[in-house]
Amino acid sequence: MTLPRETQAGVAAIAVPLRHRTLADREDWLGRLMLAPALIYVVALVGVPFALALALAFSGARSGSLDFSWVGLSNFLAIIPDPQFQRALWNTLRFTIVSQFLVMVLAVTAAHVLSAAFAGRRAVRFLLLLPWAAPVALAAIGWTWIFDSTFSVINWTFLALGLTKRWFYWFGEPTLATIAIITVHVWRMFPFATVITLAGMSSIPQEISEAAVVDGAGFWRRFFQVNLPLLLPIITVAVLFGVVFTSTDLGVVYLLTRGGPYNSTHVLASLAFQRGIFGGDLGQGAAVAVFLLPVLVVVAIVMLRMARRAEVGA
Amino acid sequence: MTARRARRITRTIKRVALYAAALFFTLFAVFPFYWMFLTSFKQNRDLYVGGTVTSHIPWIFNAPPTMEHVNLLFQQTLYLTWVKNTLVIGAVVVVITLILAVPAGYALARLTGRWGERLGIGVFLTYLIPPTLLFIPFSRVITVLGLQNSQWALVLVYPTFTVPFCTWLLMGFFRSIPRDIEDQALIDGYSRISVIRKIVLPLGISGILTATIFAFTLVLQDFVYALTFISAVPRMTVSLGVPVALVRGDVFYWGSLMAACLITSIPIAVVYNLFIDRFIQGLTAGAVKG
């Protein structure tokens, strides 16, 4: 029940003189006023540091002093040929891609399982969400203990089941360390992706699936040609979040391997930390971190496009 | 007859597969927590048996459980100090966040019209700018302000992710309050301010509670900023102190360490679980509509 505009204005004109006409009665100004503090905070403490991050990448800044000397591209010229940096860039890419692929497969499967009716479904959902809710640093330490070089319960289980005869030094070999890191990322992200996918599934009209059954489509055909395409937008949201969290993560790599063995598992974030904070070379650290930007820009663009589509659809 | 039996068998197989899959996912998710639990309460002679000894099963208690590690954690480590630090920092950050995000969320939902929607998306995107991109410039800002090793550094920095996140969350909540109620009150002569005070805030209280919980869990999740700014052990937060400072030298106090992880994680996980659906609703609204 919305009144015509003139009537509304008329009512306001009668109502307002009863009290003082203040700034608070001008809605657009009130809106700006209420928005301003948060906006100022975000601009001052996200926008400015973000610009500073870019500026530092072109500077010779060190953590001990406050000088700020422009050095042009020399930080980038120093890191780009650096094999350790190339390794970190490559690791960031492959850890993210492999773990997000696994997360997607697991999440879609788990969501299908959870959408079926069975006893204890709520309990299963609750337990599934534990990895996502627990503080990542504490979970990472838990995994460090699971992959321990002497007491690893995984190794014990492999040996006891007779799956292997050799002892795995999880953090002693680059390949094993990579597997360990990806395992932790997958473990942490798949519950979240599952819950998002599940929410998406419940919004797909039942009739579509039923119509496909009537038309004689089998399970796999229904899954790949009906359900999966319909689920795609929602899975994209889950994956975008996963990409951001995984590619920029510092805690898991730092606590599991510290970039070792032989600096083989550094990612951009951990290398930036090592160069910028431990090494004190803020400029070079910032230059390393800047390489995270392309991923974030792509994610932002995809999200904006999806938001616009939602706007049009609404 | 055989057709029906065949169908029944397929159904049973499907059922079994379903439960097996559910079990697999649950075990994968829970196993680290179960391992933390075992480690926290096992006696050392039961705990530190090399993994090559296949006759000693590590998955169960082989000796009676003990409270030794938990007692050590509470009495001889700084765990409780870290918990207190985290609670204090968390409380201050939540207050700052609500002061900034509640008005902003409402303004974006009701007062700013079309460009408010765009701005809302923009605000959410800033939440995606990760700490790992900002910790280097922040380390310089914190040095300039003389806040190294101070909890105020964290109080200043944590709202950079809680404010965008909670503004966006609250915007969704305030939008879901029926507009008619507010319009009616405006027609009845209430000012916008009293509408907010008497209608929007009471109706939005569950949203504000959700924002509080999420702001707090986000604070608890942080590792990067705490690691960058705080090196004095007694000033650390739980997420930093437990993994970094409970480890003494090369000897890991695994029992106490896992007890700390478990005791910290479980309450958060439970509370988080209660509120996750509201978060998912907001998150998926856009994608589902499109």
Side-chain angles (χ1 to χ4, degrees), chain A residues 27 41 117 132 145 150 156 248, chain B residues 15 39 51 132 156 192 272:
Chain A
E27 300 235 314
Y41 198 101
W132 171 250
W145 173 224
T150 323
W156 182 90
T248 66
Chain B
R15 211 71 200 149
T39 309
T132 35
L156 185 73
R192 185 56 88 166
Y272 196 90

Side-chain angles (χ1 to χ4, degrees), chain A residues 152-161 167, chain B residues 51 53-54 56-59:
Chain A
S152 170
V153 62
I154 295 182
N155 285 1
W156 182 90
T157 311
F158 282 178
L159 286 176
L161 293 178
W167 184 262
Chain B
V53 187
T54 42
H56 175 271
I57 301 168
W59 291 98

Side-chain angles (χ1 to χ4, degrees), chain A:
Chain A
M1 54 145 293
T2 40
L3 294 164
R5 191 160 278 282
E6 311 86 73
T7 327
Q8 247 176 11
V11 173
I14 300 163
V16 166
L18 296 177
R19 47 176 81 231
H20 239 32
R21 193 180 176 93
T22 60
L23 193 64
D25 290 314
R26 301 261 329 258
E27 300 235 314
D28 49 340
W29 279 102
L30 183 67
R32 277 167 221 188
L33 204 67
M34 286 169 69
L35 199 55
L39 223 49
I40 291 169
Y41 198 101
V42 168
V43 169
L45 283 156
V46 181
V48 172
F50 184 73
L52 191 58
L54 297 179
L56 280 170
F58 297 94
S59 82
R62 302 196 59 82
S63 56
S65 68
L66 285 177
D67 79 330
F68 194 98
S69 52
W70 183 262
V71 296
L73 287 170
S74 81
N75 285 325
F76 291 98
L77 293 177
I79 58 166
I80 288 172
D82 183 343
Q84 214 175 329
F85 167 78
Q86 291 170 356
R87 180 88 198 187
L89 187 63
W90 169 231
N91 280 343
T92 309
L93 283 175
R94 75 195 175 121
F95 290 176
T96 308
I97 292 169
V98 173
S99 66
Q100 288 318 298
F101 175 74
L102 292 173
V103 163
M104 235 164 77
V105 173
L106 284 178
V108 172
T109 321
H112 274 83
V113 169
L114 279 177
S115 70
F118 64 90
R121 202 174 72 151
R122 285 195 71 83
V124 168
R125 208 191 85 135
F126 171 81
L127 293 172
L128 270 191
L129 271 170
L130 287 179
W132 171 250
V136 57
L138 302 184
I141 273 291
W143 279 99
T144 315
W145 173 224
I146 288 167
F147 288 121
D148 191 80
S149 59
T150 323
F151 305 105
S152 170
V153 62
I154 295 182
N155 285 1
W156 182 90
T157 311
F158 282 178
L159 286 176
L161 293 178
L163 293 176
T164 175
K165 286 220 177 321
R166 67 174 278 227
W167 184 262
F168 295 111
Y169 289 97
W170 290 100
F171 303 135
E173 288 173 37
T175 320
L176 291 179
T178 303
I179 293 174
I181 290 170
I182 290 177
T183 305
V184 178
H185 279 311
V186 170
W187 173 80
R188 178 172 148 68
M189 287 308 301
F190 97 87
F192 179 65
T194 303
V195 176
I196 294 184
T197 313
L198 198 59
M201 276 171 72
S202 59
S203 71
I204 293 178
Q206 198 67 43
E207 301 92 68
I208 298 180
S209 204
E210 278 161 12
V213 174
V214 172
D215 290 346
F219 174 80
W220 293 109
R221 194 174 167 137
R222 231 160 48 226
F223 178 74
F224 280 106
Q225 297 190 353
V226 180
N227 285 339
L228 209 56
L230 283 170
L231 275 178
L232 210 57
I234 200 94
I235 295 174
T236 312
V237 171
V239 168
L240 288 178
F241 267 85
V243 166
V244 171
F245 282 118
T246 313
S247 65
T248 66
D249 171 78
L250 172 64
V252 172
V253 171
Y254 183 87
L255 290 170
L256 251 60
T257 66
R258 300 229 169 185
Y262 337 111
N263 291 320
S264 62
T265 57
H266 264 305
V267 288
L268 290 176
S270 64
L271 191 67
F273 193 86
Q274 176 147 322
R275 297 272 164 95
I277 306 296
F278 283 152
D281 193 339
L282 285 183
Q284 216 179 78
V288 172
V290 159
F291 281 84
L292 289 170
L293 266 183
V295 177
L296 298 172
V297 169
V298 169
V299 169
I301 288 171
V302 177
M303 284 219 166
L304 281 175
R305 288 186 62 156
M306 294 190 67
R308 189 166 317 141
R309 259 183 39 194
E311 225 171 277
V312 172

